[in-house]
Amino acid sequence: MAARTLRHRSIALLSYDGAPFHVRGSMAASLHDLLAALERDRSLDAPDRLRERIEALDRLDASPAGNATHAGGAASGDTAATHLRARVLHARLESANRRLYDEIRMAIRRGAGRETLLRWARALADAEPMNGSARGDSYDALDELVSGVLRLEAPETEVAAPPNGMVFYQPTPARHIFALIERAALTGRDVLVDLGAGLGHVPLLAAICAGARGIGIEREAVYVASARRCAEALNLTHVAFLEQDARDADLSKGTVFYLYTPFTGGILRAVLDALRREAEGRAIRVCTFGPCTPVVAAEPWLAADDATSIDTLALFRSR
């Protein structure tokens, strides 16, 4: 998945200083003010201004110039010149981000990814700490960072609709993955198994940021291939992605299991029964996010670390 593809946030159309566009007059004049302010601020090119660059790119994407560019619309005269300025500025900010992401990728390849990526993730974290308190499935600046660093390739062909009981893939918001790493206290002794791994964000980040062995179980071959290419490009030798049904997976090595509601009904029941059998022989942890959480919370062989919600990461331990 290429950088800046997780564009699901609700972005207010603001001027650079935070004032709503409508108080500045016409939309065109406000866009001009925004561009002028961003063009003057050369500090945006500094590596440590990542958050500010992401916010600026959000505003450009939400602007009339950004909307026209994405829609392929044509413009003329002053409007065309303004749109050209917006594209040049957009490219400048994207280039600065790319340089930073390249540096982080180099650190990961040489084994220093934990310190480097976590440092940038913490720098981007909002007032909410990375402990799972952030709610919901919306995406934020952390997802921009993760997308830019991992550069997972989205499938070129349309993925078929999942069978009954299985759910369309949606990446876990990055803040919940970092919360998992922290709350589950992952270490190099852990084996994290992501059941319904999709493109592999969770095992990849667990391997990079905690040194844990990551195993992604995913039935879609195109997702598995993309995740494997990413792991190879980042020299992550302790991550594996297996193309198989979660009901057929070997769970015997896992210490931590993650489910972002990848399936429901009978399939979820079968997987939970398999996890229960694993827990009969050793202690395991189960982390969930989304609508599967209440189902997992009802399992008598699991105890939740804290109050559970479908909007936050939940951590369970076998009894």
Side-chain angles (χ1 to χ4, degrees), residues 179-202:
L180 184 162
I181 293 168
E182 182 175 294
R183 290 183 55 197
L186 291 184
T187 71
R189 296 185 297 275
D190 282 308
V191 178
L192 181 141
V193 180
D194 186 354
L195 297 163
L199 288 165
H201 296 76
V202 176

Side-chain angles (χ1 to χ4, degrees), residues 131-181:
N131 61 4
S133 59
R135 304 179 68 85
D137 59 1
S138 62
Y139 299 101
D140 58 27
L142 279 173
D143 296 283
E144 300 287 352
L145 170 66
V146 169
S147 180
V149 170
L150 297 185
R151 295 179 192 167
L152 287 157
E153 301 168 5
E156 294 182 358
T157 58
E158 186 175 346
V159 176
N164 288 338
M166 294 189 178
V167 178
F168 271 111
Y169 168 62
Q170 181 178 350
T172 300
R175 64 183 178 279
H176 296 301
I177 306 176
F178 288 114
L180 184 162
I181 293 168

Side-chain angles (χ1 to χ4, degrees), residues 3-4 12 51 54 76 141 147 229 253 255 269 281 285 312:
R4 300 189 60 76
R51 172 178 289 282
I54 290 173
S76 59
S147 180
R229 286 193 295 270
K253 300 294 191 297
T255 62
R269 180 72 267 153
R285 287 156 284 168
T312 57

